[in-house]
Amino acid sequence: MKSKAQAVTHDLEAVAAEASASQRPSSSSQEWLDKDLGGPAVDENRSNFTGTIPARFMPKTGLAGLAENWRADVLSGFLVFLIALPLCLGISMASGFPPQAGIITAVVGGLLVSRINGSFVTITGPAAGLIVVILDSVQALGGGDAKAGYHYTLAAIVCASVIQMLMGIMKAGKMSAFFPSSAVHGMLAAIGIIIMAKQIHVMLGVKPDAQTLFETIGAIPASLRDMNPEVAIIGGIGLLILIAWSLVKSRRLKMIPAPLVVVIIGMALAQYYDLDDEHIYLFLPDYPFLPHHEFTIGPKFLVSIPQNFLSGFAFPDFSLIGSSMFWQQVFAICLVGSLESLLSSAAVDKLDPYKRTSDLNRDLAAVGFGNIICGLIGGMPMIAEIVRSSANVNNGARTGWANFFHGLFLLIFVALFPRVIHEIPLASLAALLVFTGYRLASPLEFKKTLAIGWDQLTVFVITIIGVLATDLLIGVAIGIAAEFLFHFWRSVNWGQVFKLHRDVVESAPGVYQVKIGGAAFFANYLALKGDLAKLPKGKTVIFDLSESWCVDHTVMENLHHFCEDYEANGGHAEICGLDQHVATSKHPLAPRKRSV
């Protein structure tokens, strides 16, 4: 099984390159991290490049890189800023934080983290995947008091970020390989469902009388019936624009960020409907079949942001640090944030036209340090964010200075033009999040997972149900337990659960043979990942799986990604020894077991 032509990668590239003709089939890895909002397509001449680039042609880093590449990075930073502004506001408010919190996070990520992280074209900032865990923390710690919950959650972010930074220092960047892919996909799909369930009401201009998630979902028909028509028109048009933009094939048109179009149209409609002034209006009073015609509209449907940027800062309250609930939120924030950031950073490397490889441990430590600062001054936690990063690549960014300039433009704009931000309708931001939530949990995600195997779909669905019925941590744990049960059902013995039998030898000069025996699956892959990281670049690596009893989807996916990355850096890698294995489906990355 050759990796160059046949290795299947997840269609993460589709996040930024829906219009490009990819040379590889797709599997199932990180597209869910943050779906394309109809943004620009990656330049085909860059995104499909394979092979190594001589060191003399690589962009310089540091101040030398700024002097060399500032024109490209300033332009890309400005274009990314246009995408980031509405997303930062929407994600922050959906998380139960003030809107400026998301801006603070992006500014810290751009101005500070970009200078100390281990990546090259990654954009750091708040992401939709963090909405659920942060909102849950605000509600759980605040006990109904949103303001108190905000300050308690800032304290939880600081504690979680200290752990996150220490994880990076202790080189825990490979931890993402421990979690089974289907369980992680299920967690993000569940987050998408929760985002849609909550933001649909905002998009319709209705506040449901619901206390639990299932009550919120059940209240959607009532909100559709009682929608505030003018607010719903703003949100509905925004959603239609996003759908239309995702179907557009014109690369020139897609260079215009869809979120920016949604916000501009929303602001124009807000002026037309006079949302700045609270008033009562009649909607279609001559149609007797409508239940009622009188509605109230006003500034409460617009973004509320301080006129003075400095007054938007807030400080953590550590008074609950001794409670178990506080630490439950700390570990949830740390787990979800770290996992998403690691997967995103690794995924963005695949989009980098220069095929540079991020230092994930340094990246994790830098993001953790940035999150400590954010928690201390009133911001959300940040991750390496995929939509903005893919747009950054497309716009021609060459170094981390593009991330710096994106943060700088955000700081300037929010400091000088807060009145413009106040004119953005909440319904437009809600439309962005509803679309993001749908892309996280679309039927296509279920179809892709089923293509890998019915067992992977089962784990995927069990994780979704677990997260919806309990919380993120317990839901993911349920998904991992389900994955274990499938492996035991395949007769994996307990002695092989956490120890992978492997042997890495140089069988010939420049040829490394990696022999894998026993059961290869997510719980024991970390050791092999550490061995592979030590292999020299530019050689030949052959994976021999003939002695393996079974290989799960997560390991197959990781091996293929390794082969791709290794070949992109000038080496050769291939997988062999699977002739006697039976796969659970026709998918190239399906779990497989050796026939007796």
PDB file of all heavy atoms in Angstrom, residues 485-512:
ATOM      1  N   LEU A 485     -14.231  -1.574  23.791  1.00  0.00           N
ATOM      2  CA  LEU A 485     -15.102  -2.748  23.705  1.00  0.00           C
ATOM      3  C   LEU A 485     -15.032  -3.390  22.326  1.00  0.00           C
ATOM      4  O   LEU A 485     -15.037  -4.615  22.192  1.00  0.00           O
ATOM      5  CB  LEU A 485     -16.541  -2.361  24.046  1.00  0.00           C
ATOM      6  CG  LEU A 485     -16.808  -2.010  25.513  1.00  0.00           C
ATOM      7  CD1 LEU A 485     -18.248  -1.541  25.704  1.00  0.00           C
ATOM      8  CD2 LEU A 485     -16.519  -3.218  26.415  1.00  0.00           C
ATOM      9  N   PHE A 486     -14.961  -2.577  21.285  1.00  0.00           N
ATOM     10  CA  PHE A 486     -14.856  -3.128  19.925  1.00  0.00           C
ATOM     11  C   PHE A 486     -13.536  -3.878  19.742  1.00  0.00           C
ATOM     12  O   PHE A 486     -13.484  -4.902  19.065  1.00  0.00           O
ATOM     13  CB  PHE A 486     -15.001  -2.021  18.879  1.00  0.00           C
ATOM     14  CG  PHE A 486     -16.428  -1.719  18.532  1.00  0.00           C
ATOM     15  CD1 PHE A 486     -17.011  -0.518  18.902  1.00  0.00           C
ATOM     16  CD2 PHE A 486     -17.202  -2.641  17.844  1.00  0.00           C
ATOM     17  CE1 PHE A 486     -18.328  -0.240  18.586  1.00  0.00           C
ATOM     18  CE2 PHE A 486     -18.529  -2.367  17.528  1.00  0.00           C
ATOM     19  CZ  PHE A 486     -19.092  -1.172  17.898  1.00  0.00           C
ATOM     20  N   HIS A 487     -12.473  -3.355  20.354  1.00  0.00           N
ATOM     21  CA  HIS A 487     -11.188  -4.052  20.224  1.00  0.00           C
ATOM     22  C   HIS A 487     -11.203  -5.383  20.976  1.00  0.00           C
ATOM     23  O   HIS A 487     -10.666  -6.387  20.493  1.00  0.00           O
ATOM     24  CB  HIS A 487     -10.066  -3.155  20.726  1.00  0.00           C
ATOM     25  CG  HIS A 487      -9.739  -2.035  19.788  1.00  0.00           C
ATOM     26  ND1 HIS A 487      -9.216  -2.251  18.527  1.00  0.00           N
ATOM     27  CD2 HIS A 487      -9.881  -0.692  19.886  1.00  0.00           C
ATOM     28  CE1 HIS A 487      -9.047  -1.100  17.909  1.00  0.00           C
ATOM     29  NE2 HIS A 487      -9.451  -0.135  18.719  1.00  0.00           N
ATOM     30  N   PHE A 488     -11.809  -5.393  22.139  1.00  0.00           N
ATOM     31  CA  PHE A 488     -11.893  -6.653  22.879  1.00  0.00           C
ATOM     32  C   PHE A 488     -12.791  -7.644  22.155  1.00  0.00           C
ATOM     33  O   PHE A 488     -12.563  -8.850  22.173  1.00  0.00           O
ATOM     34  CB  PHE A 488     -12.405  -6.399  24.299  1.00  0.00           C
ATOM     35  CG  PHE A 488     -11.455  -5.574  25.120  1.00  0.00           C
ATOM     36  CD1 PHE A 488     -11.926  -4.627  26.017  1.00  0.00           C
ATOM     37  CD2 PHE A 488     -10.089  -5.730  24.995  1.00  0.00           C
ATOM     38  CE1 PHE A 488     -11.059  -3.854  26.763  1.00  0.00           C
ATOM     39  CE2 PHE A 488      -9.205  -4.968  25.739  1.00  0.00           C
ATOM     40  CZ  PHE A 488      -9.687  -4.026  26.624  1.00  0.00           C
ATOM     41  N   TRP A 489     -13.818  -7.110  21.486  1.00  0.00           N
ATOM     42  CA  TRP A 489     -14.699  -7.977  20.693  1.00  0.00           C
ATOM     43  C   TRP A 489     -13.917  -8.619  19.551  1.00  0.00           C
ATOM     44  O   TRP A 489     -14.223  -9.731  19.115  1.00  0.00           O
ATOM     45  CB  TRP A 489     -15.857  -7.147  20.159  1.00  0.00           C
ATOM     46  CG  TRP A 489     -16.778  -7.890  19.252  1.00  0.00           C
ATOM     47  CD1 TRP A 489     -17.648  -8.892  19.581  1.00  0.00           C
ATOM     48  CD2 TRP A 489     -16.912  -7.701  17.842  1.00  0.00           C
ATOM     49  NE1 TRP A 489     -18.317  -9.334  18.476  1.00  0.00           N
ATOM     50  CE2 TRP A 489     -17.889  -8.626  17.386  1.00  0.00           C
ATOM     51  CE3 TRP A 489     -16.313  -6.849  16.922  1.00  0.00           C
ATOM     52  CZ2 TRP A 489     -18.274  -8.710  16.051  1.00  0.00           C
ATOM     53  CZ3 TRP A 489     -16.688  -6.937  15.601  1.00  0.00           C
ATOM     54  CH2 TRP A 489     -17.653  -7.858  15.174  1.00  0.00           C
ATOM     55  N   ARG A 490     -12.881  -7.911  19.072  1.00  0.00           N
ATOM     56  CA  ARG A 490     -12.030  -8.485  18.025  1.00  0.00           C
ATOM     57  C   ARG A 490     -10.964  -9.399  18.614  1.00  0.00           C
ATOM     58  O   ARG A 490      -9.993  -9.756  17.945  1.00  0.00           O
ATOM     59  CB  ARG A 490     -11.350  -7.363  17.229  1.00  0.00           C
ATOM     60  CG  ARG A 490     -12.295  -6.488  16.428  1.00  0.00           C
ATOM     61  CD  ARG A 490     -11.497  -5.594  15.480  1.00  0.00           C
ATOM     62  NE  ARG A 490     -12.385  -4.676  14.801  1.00  0.00           N
ATOM     63  CZ  ARG A 490     -12.504  -3.381  15.109  1.00  0.00           C
ATOM     64  NH1 ARG A 490     -11.795  -2.878  16.087  1.00  0.00           N
ATOM     65  NH2 ARG A 490     -13.346  -2.615  14.448  1.00  0.00           N
ATOM     66  N   SER A 491     -11.096  -9.728  19.888  1.00  0.00           N
ATOM     67  CA  SER A 491     -10.206 -10.679  20.573  1.00  0.00           C
ATOM     68  C   SER A 491      -8.814 -10.125  20.837  1.00  0.00           C
ATOM     69  O   SER A 491      -7.825 -10.850  20.799  1.00  0.00           O
ATOM     70  CB  SER A 491     -10.089 -11.989  19.763  1.00  0.00           C
ATOM     71  OG  SER A 491     -11.346 -12.555  19.541  1.00  0.00           O
ATOM     72  N   VAL A 492      -8.719  -8.815  21.074  1.00  0.00           N
ATOM     73  CA  VAL A 492      -7.452  -8.242  21.517  1.00  0.00           C
ATOM     74  C   VAL A 492      -7.267  -8.612  22.976  1.00  0.00           C
ATOM     75  O   VAL A 492      -8.149  -8.394  23.795  1.00  0.00           O
ATOM     76  CB  VAL A 492      -7.468  -6.701  21.387  1.00  0.00           C
ATOM     77  CG1 VAL A 492      -6.211  -6.099  21.974  1.00  0.00           C
ATOM     78  CG2 VAL A 492      -7.615  -6.312  19.918  1.00  0.00           C
ATOM     79  N   ASN A 493      -6.111  -9.175  23.320  1.00  0.00           N
ATOM     80  CA  ASN A 493      -5.967  -9.576  24.709  1.00  0.00           C
ATOM     81  C   ASN A 493      -5.482  -8.414  25.575  1.00  0.00           C
ATOM     82  O   ASN A 493      -4.851  -7.483  25.087  1.00  0.00           O
ATOM     83  CB  ASN A 493      -5.116 -10.850  24.804  1.00  0.00           C
ATOM     84  CG  ASN A 493      -3.664 -10.638  24.971  1.00  0.00           C
ATOM     85  OD1 ASN A 493      -3.219  -9.874  25.798  1.00  0.00           O
ATOM     86  ND2 ASN A 493      -2.919 -11.385  24.178  1.00  0.00           N
ATOM     87  N   TRP A 494      -5.829  -8.485  26.858  1.00  0.00           N
ATOM     88  CA  TRP A 494      -5.591  -7.354  27.762  1.00  0.00           C
ATOM     89  C   TRP A 494      -4.117  -6.968  27.834  1.00  0.00           C
ATOM     90  O   TRP A 494      -3.782  -5.813  28.049  1.00  0.00           O
ATOM     91  CB  TRP A 494      -6.097  -7.708  29.171  1.00  0.00           C
ATOM     92  CG  TRP A 494      -7.573  -7.667  29.272  1.00  0.00           C
ATOM     93  CD1 TRP A 494      -8.436  -8.691  29.017  1.00  0.00           C
ATOM     94  CD2 TRP A 494      -8.379  -6.548  29.618  1.00  0.00           C
ATOM     95  NE1 TRP A 494      -9.740  -8.283  29.190  1.00  0.00           N
ATOM     96  CE2 TRP A 494      -9.737  -6.973  29.577  1.00  0.00           C
ATOM     97  CE3 TRP A 494      -8.106  -5.229  29.973  1.00  0.00           C
ATOM     98  CZ2 TRP A 494     -10.792  -6.126  29.868  1.00  0.00           C
ATOM     99  CZ3 TRP A 494      -9.158  -4.385  30.275  1.00  0.00           C
ATOM    100  CH2 TRP A 494     -10.483  -4.840  30.210  1.00  0.00           C
ATOM    101  N   GLY A 495      -3.220  -7.949  27.649  1.00  0.00           N
ATOM    102  CA  GLY A 495      -1.790  -7.657  27.725  1.00  0.00           C
ATOM    103  C   GLY A 495      -1.298  -6.768  26.598  1.00  0.00           C
ATOM    104  O   GLY A 495      -0.205  -6.220  26.672  1.00  0.00           O
ATOM    105  N   GLN A 496      -2.097  -6.628  25.538  1.00  0.00           N
ATOM    106  CA  GLN A 496      -1.689  -5.824  24.390  1.00  0.00           C
ATOM    107  C   GLN A 496      -2.337  -4.438  24.361  1.00  0.00           C
ATOM    108  O   GLN A 496      -2.128  -3.685  23.421  1.00  0.00           O
ATOM    109  CB  GLN A 496      -2.055  -6.562  23.090  1.00  0.00           C
ATOM    110  CG  GLN A 496      -1.360  -7.902  22.939  1.00  0.00           C
ATOM    111  CD  GLN A 496      -1.815  -8.639  21.689  1.00  0.00           C
ATOM    112  OE1 GLN A 496      -2.913  -8.400  21.193  1.00  0.00           O
ATOM    113  NE2 GLN A 496      -0.982  -9.527  21.189  1.00  0.00           N
ATOM    114  N   VAL A 497      -3.095  -4.129  25.394  1.00  0.00           N
ATOM    115  CA  VAL A 497      -3.871  -2.895  25.366  1.00  0.00           C
ATOM    116  C   VAL A 497      -2.994  -1.657  25.340  1.00  0.00           C
ATOM    117  O   VAL A 497      -3.184  -0.761  24.522  1.00  0.00           O
ATOM    118  CB  VAL A 497      -4.836  -2.836  26.572  1.00  0.00           C
ATOM    119  CG1 VAL A 497      -5.470  -1.463  26.674  1.00  0.00           C
ATOM    120  CG2 VAL A 497      -5.909  -3.902  26.431  1.00  0.00           C
ATOM    121  N   PHE A 498      -2.003  -1.589  26.224  1.00  0.00           N
ATOM    122  CA  PHE A 498      -1.216  -0.362  26.343  1.00  0.00           C
ATOM    123  C   PHE A 498       0.232  -0.519  25.881  1.00  0.00           C
ATOM    124  O   PHE A 498       1.011   0.421  25.978  1.00  0.00           O
ATOM    125  CB  PHE A 498      -1.235   0.145  27.779  1.00  0.00           C
ATOM    126  CG  PHE A 498      -2.606   0.580  28.229  1.00  0.00           C
ATOM    127  CD1 PHE A 498      -3.315  -0.163  29.149  1.00  0.00           C
ATOM    128  CD2 PHE A 498      -3.197   1.718  27.709  1.00  0.00           C
ATOM    129  CE1 PHE A 498      -4.587   0.229  29.553  1.00  0.00           C
ATOM    130  CE2 PHE A 498      -4.466   2.114  28.102  1.00  0.00           C
ATOM    131  CZ  PHE A 498      -5.153   1.369  29.027  1.00  0.00           C
ATOM    132  N   LYS A 499       0.603  -1.691  25.393  1.00  0.00           N
ATOM    133  CA  LYS A 499       1.980  -1.897  24.947  1.00  0.00           C
ATOM    134  C   LYS A 499       1.980  -2.409  23.520  1.00  0.00           C
ATOM    135  O   LYS A 499       1.432  -3.468  23.222  1.00  0.00           O
ATOM    136  CB  LYS A 499       2.704  -2.878  25.863  1.00  0.00           C
ATOM    137  CG  LYS A 499       4.176  -3.029  25.505  1.00  0.00           C
ATOM    138  CD  LYS A 499       4.895  -3.927  26.493  1.00  0.00           C
ATOM    139  CE  LYS A 499       6.382  -4.045  26.126  1.00  0.00           C
ATOM    140  NZ  LYS A 499       7.109  -4.932  27.078  1.00  0.00           N
ATOM    141  N   LEU A 500       2.605  -1.660  22.632  1.00  0.00           N
ATOM    142  CA  LEU A 500       2.672  -2.038  21.228  1.00  0.00           C
ATOM    143  C   LEU A 500       4.012  -2.715  20.953  1.00  0.00           C
ATOM    144  O   LEU A 500       5.072  -2.170  21.267  1.00  0.00           O
ATOM    145  CB  LEU A 500       2.526  -0.791  20.349  1.00  0.00           C
ATOM    146  CG  LEU A 500       2.627  -1.013  18.838  1.00  0.00           C
ATOM    147  CD1 LEU A 500       1.476  -1.889  18.362  1.00  0.00           C
ATOM    148  CD2 LEU A 500       2.609   0.319  18.108  1.00  0.00           C
ATOM    149  N   HIS A 501       3.957  -3.901  20.372  1.00  0.00           N
ATOM    150  CA  HIS A 501       5.184  -4.598  19.998  1.00  0.00           C
ATOM    151  C   HIS A 501       5.711  -3.986  18.714  1.00  0.00           C
ATOM    152  O   HIS A 501       5.053  -4.020  17.675  1.00  0.00           O
ATOM    153  CB  HIS A 501       4.893  -6.094  19.799  1.00  0.00           C
ATOM    154  CG  HIS A 501       4.368  -6.763  21.031  1.00  0.00           C
ATOM    155  ND1 HIS A 501       5.175  -7.094  22.094  1.00  0.00           N
ATOM    156  CD2 HIS A 501       3.110  -7.133  21.374  1.00  0.00           C
ATOM    157  CE1 HIS A 501       4.439  -7.662  23.049  1.00  0.00           C
ATOM    158  NE2 HIS A 501       3.186  -7.684  22.636  1.00  0.00           N
ATOM    159  N   ARG A 502       6.908  -3.420  18.785  1.00  0.00           N
ATOM    160  CA  ARG A 502       7.461  -2.722  17.633  1.00  0.00           C
ATOM    161  C   ARG A 502       8.975  -2.852  17.626  1.00  0.00           C
ATOM    162  O   ARG A 502       9.606  -3.057  18.675  1.00  0.00           O
ATOM    163  CB  ARG A 502       7.074  -1.249  17.670  1.00  0.00           C
ATOM    164  CG  ARG A 502       7.705  -0.509  18.834  1.00  0.00           C
ATOM    165  CD  ARG A 502       7.016   0.772  19.183  1.00  0.00           C
ATOM    166  NE  ARG A 502       7.767   1.539  20.162  1.00  0.00           N
ATOM    167  CZ  ARG A 502       7.755   1.294  21.469  1.00  0.00           C
ATOM    168  NH1 ARG A 502       7.033   0.290  21.960  1.00  0.00           N
ATOM    169  NH2 ARG A 502       8.464   2.041  22.299  1.00  0.00           N
ATOM    170  N   ASP A 503       9.537  -2.745  16.445  1.00  0.00           N
ATOM    171  CA  ASP A 503      10.990  -2.844  16.296  1.00  0.00           C
ATOM    172  C   ASP A 503      11.398  -1.956  15.132  1.00  0.00           C
ATOM    173  O   ASP A 503      10.905  -2.116  14.012  1.00  0.00           O
ATOM    174  CB  ASP A 503      11.397  -4.301  16.041  1.00  0.00           C
ATOM    175  CG  ASP A 503      12.905  -4.481  16.141  1.00  0.00           C
ATOM    176  OD1 ASP A 503      13.559  -3.599  16.734  1.00  0.00           O
ATOM    177  OD2 ASP A 503      13.420  -5.487  15.614  1.00  0.00           O
ATOM    178  N   VAL A 504      12.261  -0.981  15.391  1.00  0.00           N
ATOM    179  CA  VAL A 504      12.729  -0.069  14.355  1.00  0.00           C
ATOM    180  C   VAL A 504      14.197  -0.369  14.080  1.00  0.00           C
ATOM    181  O   VAL A 504      15.041  -0.216  14.964  1.00  0.00           O
ATOM    182  CB  VAL A 504      12.557   1.400  14.779  1.00  0.00           C
ATOM    183  CG1 VAL A 504      13.004   2.341  13.667  1.00  0.00           C
ATOM    184  CG2 VAL A 504      11.102   1.688  15.160  1.00  0.00           C
ATOM    185  N   VAL A 505      14.501  -0.843  12.873  1.00  0.00           N
ATOM    186  CA  VAL A 505      15.876  -1.217  12.529  1.00  0.00           C
ATOM    187  C   VAL A 505      16.253  -0.591  11.191  1.00  0.00           C
ATOM    188  O   VAL A 505      15.411  -0.392  10.309  1.00  0.00           O
ATOM    189  CB  VAL A 505      16.039  -2.750  12.449  1.00  0.00           C
ATOM    190  CG1 VAL A 505      15.805  -3.389  13.805  1.00  0.00           C
ATOM    191  CG2 VAL A 505      15.111  -3.341  11.411  1.00  0.00           C
ATOM    192  N   GLU A 506      17.540  -0.289  11.045  1.00  0.00           N
ATOM    193  CA  GLU A 506      18.048   0.181   9.761  1.00  0.00           C
ATOM    194  C   GLU A 506      18.519  -1.036   8.985  1.00  0.00           C
ATOM    195  O   GLU A 506      19.648  -1.518   9.160  1.00  0.00           O
ATOM    196  CB  GLU A 506      19.176   1.191   9.962  1.00  0.00           C
ATOM    197  CG  GLU A 506      19.611   1.861   8.659  1.00  0.00           C
ATOM    198  CD  GLU A 506      20.641   2.966   8.878  1.00  0.00           C
ATOM    199  OE1 GLU A 506      21.148   3.096  10.006  1.00  0.00           O
ATOM    200  OE2 GLU A 506      20.931   3.709   7.925  1.00  0.00           O
ATOM    201  N   SER A 507      17.651  -1.567   8.143  1.00  0.00           N
ATOM    202  CA  SER A 507      17.924  -2.814   7.436  1.00  0.00           C
ATOM    203  C   SER A 507      18.957  -2.649   6.332  1.00  0.00           C
ATOM    204  O   SER A 507      19.568  -3.623   5.889  1.00  0.00           O
ATOM    205  CB  SER A 507      16.632  -3.383   6.847  1.00  0.00           C
ATOM    206  OG  SER A 507      16.008  -2.435   5.996  1.00  0.00           O
ATOM    207  N   ALA A 508      19.132  -1.436   5.856  1.00  0.00           N
ATOM    208  CA  ALA A 508      20.125  -1.107   4.840  1.00  0.00           C
ATOM    209  C   ALA A 508      20.447   0.367   4.998  1.00  0.00           C
ATOM    210  O   ALA A 508      19.687   1.102   5.644  1.00  0.00           O
ATOM    211  CB  ALA A 508      19.590  -1.415   3.436  1.00  0.00           C
ATOM    212  N   PRO A 509      21.568   0.828   4.454  1.00  0.00           N
ATOM    213  CA  PRO A 509      21.901   2.254   4.603  1.00  0.00           C
ATOM    214  C   PRO A 509      20.768   3.151   4.100  1.00  0.00           C
ATOM    215  O   PRO A 509      20.361   3.079   2.943  1.00  0.00           O
ATOM    216  CB  PRO A 509      23.159   2.397   3.726  1.00  0.00           C
ATOM    217  CG  PRO A 509      23.783   1.034   3.731  1.00  0.00           C
ATOM    218  CD  PRO A 509      22.635   0.078   3.746  1.00  0.00           C
ATOM    219  N   GLY A 510      20.219   3.962   4.985  1.00  0.00           N
ATOM    220  CA  GLY A 510      19.151   4.884   4.626  1.00  0.00           C
ATOM    221  C   GLY A 510      17.781   4.254   4.526  1.00  0.00           C
ATOM    222  O   GLY A 510      16.818   4.921   4.135  1.00  0.00           O
ATOM    223  N   VAL A 511      17.654   2.973   4.908  1.00  0.00           N
ATOM    224  CA  VAL A 511      16.358   2.281   4.857  1.00  0.00           C
ATOM    225  C   VAL A 511      15.993   1.811   6.265  1.00  0.00           C
ATOM    226  O   VAL A 511      16.711   0.991   6.858  1.00  0.00           O
ATOM    227  CB  VAL A 511      16.382   1.077   3.894  1.00  0.00           C
ATOM    228  CG1 VAL A 511      15.024   0.376   3.902  1.00  0.00           C
ATOM    229  CG2 VAL A 511      16.743   1.521   2.490  1.00  0.00           C
ATOM    230  N   TYR A 512      14.905   2.321   6.788  1.00  0.00           N
ATOM    231  CA  TYR A 512      14.461   1.976   8.133  1.00  0.00           C
ATOM    232  C   TYR A 512      13.197   1.128   8.052  1.00  0.00           C
ATOM    233  O   TYR A 512      12.215   1.527   7.420  1.00  0.00           O
ATOM    234  CB  TYR A 512      14.203   3.242   8.958  1.00  0.00           C
ATOM    235  CG  TYR A 512      15.466   4.008   9.256  1.00  0.00           C
ATOM    236  CD1 TYR A 512      15.977   4.926   8.334  1.00  0.00           C
ATOM    237  CD2 TYR A 512      16.166   3.812  10.442  1.00  0.00           C
ATOM    238  CE1 TYR A 512      17.143   5.632   8.589  1.00  0.00           C
ATOM    239  CE2 TYR A 512      17.333   4.514  10.710  1.00  0.00           C
ATOM    240  CZ  TYR A 512      17.816   5.421   9.779  1.00  0.00           C
ATOM    241  OH  TYR A 512      18.973   6.110  10.038  1.00  0.00           O
TER     242      TYR A 512
END
